[in-house]
Amino acid sequence: MELERDQLQKEIIELYTRGNSVQDIRAFIAKMYGADLSNGQISAVTEQVWEEVLKWKSRVLKPFYALVYLDAIHFKIRENGKVITKAIYTVYGVDAQGERDILDIHIGQGGGEGATEWGRLLDKIKARGVEDVLFFAVDGLAGFSNAILEVYLESIVQR
């Protein structure tokens, strides 16, 4: 079965967004479609997506948000042949007009969620243009409020 180039790229991107490694994608494409792709060919497709992600993560943000939700979700992922748990940090904002936006998504480097990591992420958000946030909605992570108030002194932190 021969796949059209665009269909094959869509399949590779879908597999990549689901957390499959280049080797996993290569094996799946070979098994399902009989296409023998190199790691470089697969990486060329996934790098196109990554460039778009980097542009999105560096875009200028609005200067004011009425509400910003901060939360991390913990996922088991495969890294270097092992399954580990990583925190995926999400920053979700609502501006003064009620428009919603995902301001950032960040994969933590350590195994768990930490207030220090949140502080670094908020510094990045501020550098991208967010000058003021009225309310932050957060969970009960130790040190969370302090990390927020170091970056946004006048904000109200709501647990």
Side-chain angles (χ1 to χ4, degrees):
M1 172 184 225
E2 186 146 335
L3 282 179
E4 199 176 296
R5 182 175 170 224
D6 288 344
Q7 287 177 309
L8 188 57
Q9 286 182 342
K10 286 178 185 174
E11 188 74 30
I12 290 169
I13 290 168
E14 183 173 337
L15 291 166
Y16 180 68
T17 60
R18 291 182 181 198
N20 290 285
S21 70
V22 171
Q23 292 290 356
D24 292 339
I25 295 169
R26 184 176 182 204
F28 178 82
I29 296 293
K31 181 179 179 181
M32 293 301 294
Y33 303 106
D36 186 25
L37 301 176
S38 70
N39 289 351
Q41 288 172 307
I42 293 169
S43 292
V45 173
T46 60
E47 284 174 15
Q48 292 171 9
V49 173
W50 192 243
E51 288 174 20
E52 290 299 313
V53 169
L54 292 177
K55 272 199 266 185
W56 177 82
K57 285 182 67 67
S58 62
R59 76 194 190 286
V60 175
L61 299 171
K62 294 177 182 177
F64 173 75
Y65 288 88
L67 177 62
V68 171
Y69 295 94
L70 303 176
D71 198 13
I73 302 170
H74 302 272
F75 288 98
K76 294 200 179 295
I77 62 169
R78 191 172 330 160
E79 188 174 271
N80 299 322
K82 296 179 182 178
V83 176
I84 62 171
T85 301
K86 285 213 174 188
I88 311 296
Y89 295 78
T90 57
V91 181
Y92 178 83
V94 180
D95 69 15
Q97 289 74 38
E99 295 291 321
R100 297 179 238 166
D101 190 11
I102 297 173
L103 307 181
D104 205 351
I105 298 173
H106 172 74
I107 301 173
Q109 297 307 308
E113 178 182 4
T116 303
E117 189 81 15
W118 276 114
R120 283 193 288 268
L121 185 54
L122 290 171
D123 282 335
K124 289 179 186 178
I125 296 297
K126 191 166 197 167
R128 289 176 49 207
V130 179
E131 298 168 12
D132 192 19
V133 175
L134 185 57
F135 292 100
F136 281 94
V138 300
D139 61 21
L141 178 70
F144 212 162
S145 293
N146 292 340
I148 293 167
L149 295 174
E150 284 180 20
V151 180
Y152 293 99
L153 304 172
E154 301 295 321
S155 295
I156 298 168
V157 178
Q158 176 66 48
R159 184 172 169 194

